[in-house]
Amino acid sequence: MSSKTFTVMDLVLEPEPLDLAQIVEGTPEISGLVLSEEGPIVRGVWQCTPGVVTDVEQDEMLVVVSGRATVEVEGGETLELSPGVVCLLKRGARTVWTVHETLRKVYQTTLHE
């Protein structure tokens, strides 16, 4: 990958499908932009509008750029996300994301088959 810089809040994100079965409450909308893909490593920007959704995580490191959310990890802890927070998620973790204010994060994920 060549060196690049991005202004995270200026990036235009593309709508991403959200399985209706994942929506617990509200009408959240997901959008994102992949900045690079190298083998199993994916780096990008992701955003979710307010609502409650479930997910099954990949190995991921994320940094919250804007917004606020609470992430409940099944059998684990509750994570409070706000700007500047760095979070590590483990592959296979079942989570419930309660997005209080539109959340935008930058991430690096390692995909596993």
Side-chain angles (χ1 to χ4, degrees):
M1 174 175 92
S2 63
S3 298
K4 295 181 182 179
T5 63
F6 303 94
T7 303
V8 176
M9 296 308 293
D10 290 342
L11 291 172
V12 177
L13 309 183
E14 297 293 325
E16 294 181 359
L18 180 61
D19 183 344
L20 294 178
Q22 290 180 265
I23 299 173
V24 175
E25 185 178 304
T27 55
E29 296 179 5
I30 305 293
S31 56
L33 179 66
V34 172
L35 301 174
S36 72
E37 283 186 80
E38 298 174 31
I41 305 294
V42 179
R43 297 175 186 102
V45 180
W46 179 90
Q47 181 170 289
C48 183
T49 62
V52 181
V53 297
T54 62
D55 201 8
V56 178
E57 305 299 333
Q58 293 287 338
D59 285 325
E60 178 178 345
M61 182 183 84
L62 65 92
V63 179
V64 177
V65 178
S66 65
R68 196 170 58 80
T70 302
V71 179
E72 297 173 58
V73 180
E74 184 178 280
E77 56 192 304
T78 298
L79 311 170
E80 296 296 336
L81 304 182
S82 59
V85 170
V86 176
C87 179
L88 300 174
L89 297 170
K90 295 278 187 186
R91 178 179 180 227
R94 295 184 179 282
T95 55
V96 177
W97 291 68
T98 302
V99 177
H100 309 289
E101 299 168 7
T102 298
L103 185 82
R104 186 174 280 212
K105 67 178 185 177
V106 293
Y107 68 87
Q108 177 170 305
T109 298
T110 304
L111 301 175
H112 299 273
E113 293 182 12

